[in-house]
Amino acid sequence: PPADPTMTAITDAVTLARAGSASDARAALEELWAGIGPGGDPLHRCTLAHYLADLYDDAAASLEWDIRALAAADDMDDRRVREHHESLRIRGFYPSLHLNLADDYRRLGDFDSAAGHLAAARDYADALADDGYGAGVLGGIDNVAAAIAARNTERLATH
């Protein structure tokens, strides 16, 4: 498919974050969001919100962005994600989206909501590929489950 400048800009911001410039990445993604807005392309909204949520230390701020990411995924279908990459299916987005919401709620001390989203992440886990990404999400599910069981609200190193 032709290059998608918005997805490229999102990827560039994520690269900044991974290089240690979280505040610059957050600013870049927030600026992109201002252009995309809540009614923009759901793939752009989902991807941006999913990554932006991880750039906040505050669990409530992360939760807001993770809720936006899930809502955008619900507005999407396989046709749209395959336009970006033929291998993608929308069902494969949900394990990570629900895992992040479970972790947000856990960090906020809402263990019932956390457990509900963790169960949803597990329900969608069959959509994960047998690769490093899939293993990482499954490991995250296990780590968040253990933290919920321990009633731990601290930020996890894996999340």
Side-chain angles (χ1 to χ4, degrees):
D4 180 332
T6 301
M7 292 300 283
T8 299
I10 292 168
T11 301
D12 291 347
V14 171
T15 301
L16 270 176
R18 291 182 178 157
S21 298
S23 62
D24 292 338
R26 190 171 42 248
L29 290 172
E30 288 172 347
E31 184 176 328
L32 280 170
W33 180 264
I36 296 168
D41 181 324
L43 179 62
H44 296 159
R45 289 185 289 129
C46 181
T47 306
L48 185 150
H50 184 61
Y51 284 117
L52 186 53
D54 292 340
L55 298 177
Y56 286 93
D57 290 328
D58 178 67
S62 293
L63 176 63
E64 288 180 35
W65 286 105
D66 282 326
I67 288 170
R68 288 179 180 131
L70 181 62
D74 289 343
D75 289 344
M76 220 177 332
D77 59 20
D78 281 338
R79 180 197 56 77
R80 177 61 187 107
V81 297
R82 282 194 314 260
E83 287 173 0
H84 180 66
H85 195 281
E86 180 56 37
S87 70
L88 295 176
R89 301 295 180 268
I90 191 61
R91 184 173 173 81
F93 286 39
Y94 285 99
S96 181
L97 294 170
H98 281 290
L99 171 59
N100 285 3
L101 284 161
D103 194 49
D104 294 333
Y105 282 116
R106 176 197 63 80
R107 289 175 57 210
L108 291 167
D110 184 349
F111 297 108
D112 290 338
S113 294
H117 280 285
L118 199 62
R122 285 186 173 124
D123 288 345
Y124 286 103
D126 65 324
L128 294 169
D130 186 14
D131 60 12
Y133 174 78
V137 173
L138 292 173
I141 289 171
D142 290 343
N143 289 338
V144 171
I148 291 170
R151 297 299 195 243
N152 176 358
T153 60
E154 298 299 314
R155 188 175 183 114
L156 300 176
T158 60
H159 236 69

